[in-house]
Amino acid sequence: MDFDLSEEQRAIAETTRRFVEKEMPRQQILKWVRDKVEPPRELFKKLGQLGYYGFLLPEAYSGLEKPDPTGMLAFVEQFARASSAATTAWGRAAVILAPMVAKFGSQAQKDLVLPKVMAGEVFMALGLSEPGSGSDAASLRTSAVKRADGSWVINGEKLYCSQAESAGFLILAARTDPSAVKQEGISTFLIEKPGSNPAIELTRIETMGLAMVPTFSANFRDLVVPPDAMIGPENKGWKCVLGGLDNERLYHGAIGVGASQAIIDEVIAYLKQRVQFGKPLSKLQSVRHKIVDMQLRVEAARLLVYRGASVLEKTGACHNEASFAKVAGAECYMHCAYTGLHLLGGYGYSVDSGLPMHFQDAKLFEIGGGAMEVQRDIIARGMGL
């Protein structure tokens, strides 16, 4: 299998690398983390100007003749070098939710959402997890009841609705047929400007990492949405959600690869100039072997990530491959964050090194988008187990 990047995809990676170095220096990233604020919208508008929201969108909106999952991952790998959190702020719209609208939404929904996403003008949020349904997301209980005029009244509570306060659009999964079993009675709805809707009460959840991407609990109290807010057919929303989750898992793997490679590069640069016991620490065998083990994990995860992109491009789906990529990338990131911090010693423990940020952020990717145990179950089913 040949997973080499095309000339255009290599240009995407190089342009993104330069963009990150110019627009996202470490001290700026750490300030956003410390202040617990989102990166400025202007940063994402610049990504829109570069066309980096259109990798998975139709030609009518993106200008691409066909989707480019590999180009998307080449971008993600470089962008995540600066911040895995900022990458999720981009990816929630570009990778998970806008492609969902493009595939299942009405023409009016596409025309409303996709141009704004392409321009980097809006964040998007997802309302899926609930207090009683995390890994078992399809057992959700938030209800949508149809009224005589065709509108829907939504009641319930969602958790971990990242960026719901600032999002231009929220995609909400709700149960529209309470008599149906799990996935069969779920529909998805498009809600504009959830942060300013009086029927939606948002409460920020303090988290261990991803401090620059706030997440919220959302209480829906008699939220009324029109008939044309539904995305796709009634009671078929789980199919919409599933495709978005596969995209999420694939690009989460690439986040892990990019962030891990950045950690390794930082560790090598530091240990080459850090002299102890009369020679650079990079010359100590025990240290070198730890770095090699980190790089081995990155190389393996990178291959699984790009294999997923190849399958997605050829078949339009990558269910099992996305889970392979997710597990490999997330566990690689957690390992590299832990080992990298340890190898840098006291400097690694200092905030300015960037390693504490990575250490706090990395754990999310072993949980969010489907825990490692869930991913292994998906892979096991694919193996016939």
Side-chain angles (χ1 to χ4, degrees):
M1 292 184 179
D2 181 7
F3 299 142
D4 286 344
L5 300 181
S6 68
E7 183 176 342
E8 182 178 351
Q9 290 161 347
R10 287 195 296 271
I12 289 169
E14 181 57 33
T15 300
T16 306
R17 183 75 169 261
R18 292 197 302 268
F19 179 92
V20 164
E21 291 171 352
K22 178 183 177 183
E23 303 287 346
M24 304 170 70
R26 180 186 299 165
Q27 289 308 312
Q28 181 61 70
I29 292 289
L30 294 178
K31 186 177 188 304
W32 294 333
V33 172
R34 183 173 61 251
D35 296 344
K36 297 183 179 181
V37 297
E38 292 171 327
R41 194 68 58 91
E42 193 60 35
L43 178 74
F44 298 95
K45 288 181 179 179
K46 290 178 180 179
L47 294 178
Q49 291 168 5
L50 290 168
Y52 288 169
Y53 276 89
F55 294 112
L56 303 182
L57 297 183
E59 182 180 5
Y61 300 95
S62 69
L64 298 178
E65 292 183 6
K66 62 178 182 177
D68 185 11
T70 301
M72 179 267 288
L73 297 178
F75 164 81
V76 169
E77 188 176 342
Q78 296 303 317
F79 199 67
R81 290 179 64 90
S83 168
S84 56
T87 311
T88 68
W90 164 87
R92 195 169 295 105
V95 180
I96 306 170
L97 301 178
M100 187 188 303
V101 173
K103 185 172 183 179
F104 298 103
S106 66
Q107 189 60 52
Q109 290 170 338
K110 294 175 188 178
D111 290 343
L112 174 65
V113 174
L114 301 187
K116 293 179 180 179
V117 170
M118 274 299 302
E121 294 177 358
V122 293
F123 295 128
M124 294 188 73
L126 174 64
L128 179 61
S129 295
E130 296 183 1
S133 57
S135 293
D136 185 16
S139 63
L140 62 87
R141 299 179 64 182
T142 294
S143 66
V145 178
K146 185 184 285 188
R147 302 199 299 190
D149 63 358
S151 63
W152 296 86
V153 181
I154 298 173
N155 284 279
E157 181 181 4
K158 296 291 183 179
L159 292 179
Y160 313 121
C161 299
S162 295
Q163 297 186 282
E165 189 174 66
S166 61
F169 301 99
L170 167 73
I171 292 182
L172 174 71
R175 189 161 300 284
T176 44
D177 183 357
S179 65
V181 177
K182 296 182 73 170
Q183 293 95 330
E184 300 304 316
I186 294 171
S187 300
T188 49
F189 296 88
L190 180 68
I191 300 168
E192 195 168 1
K193 297 179 180 178
S196 59
N197 193 311
I200 304 174
E201 180 186 350
L202 298 174
T203 303
R204 182 164 184 170
I205 300 171
E206 293 296 324
T207 55
M208 170 178 157
L210 275 71
M212 72 173 77
V213 181
T215 193
F216 300 86
S217 65
N219 277 285
F220 300 86
R221 295 191 174 93
D222 295 327
L223 171 66
V224 179
V225 297
D228 60 5
M230 183 176 288
I231 300 173
E234 184 175 335
N235 297 325
K236 301 298 181 183
W238 187 250
K239 185 178 180 181
C240 303
V241 170
L242 190 60
L245 290 177
D246 286 343
N247 285 355
E248 179 181 30
R249 290 161 182 168
L250 180 61
Y251 104 100
H252 274 190
I255 289 176
V257 169
S260 296
Q261 190 65 65
I263 291 169
I264 292 170
D265 294 348
E266 176 75 16
V267 167
I268 290 174
Y270 179 79
L271 296 183
K272 278 184 174 181
Q273 58 84 36
R274 176 65 169 165
V275 176
Q276 294 285 279
F277 311 108
K279 58 183 176 181
L281 286 176
S282 61
K283 297 299 182 182
L284 296 177
Q285 187 183 66
S286 61
V287 170
R288 292 153 66 101
H289 287 184
K290 284 185 172 63
I291 297 172
V292 168
D293 287 343
M294 293 163 71
Q295 191 66 53
L296 281 169
R297 289 174 183 252
V298 169
E299 298 296 337
R302 183 178 283 122
L303 287 171
L304 287 170
V305 164
Y306 284 100
R307 186 187 72 154
S310 177
V311 171
L312 178 58
E313 187 169 350
K314 291 174 182 176
T315 69
C318 61
H319 188 52
N320 272 33
E321 292 79 11
S323 291
F324 274 111
K326 165 80 168 170
V327 171
E331 293 186 349
C332 173
Y333 188 15
M334 192 72 246
H335 173 81
C336 289
Y338 174 85
T339 306
L341 192 155
H342 181 75
L343 288 174
L344 294 189
Y347 174 60
Y349 196 67
S350 69
V351 170
D352 282 349
S353 74
L355 267 295
M357 175 190 72
H358 281 299
F359 186 75
Q360 291 174 307
D361 289 354
K363 191 60 189 176
L364 178 279
F365 297 94
E366 291 188 326
I367 302 171
M372 298 295 91
E373 293 79 5
V374 172
Q375 303 312 307
R376 284 181 165 86
D377 270 349
I378 291 171
I379 293 168
R381 287 196 295 271
M383 297 169 62
L385 298 173

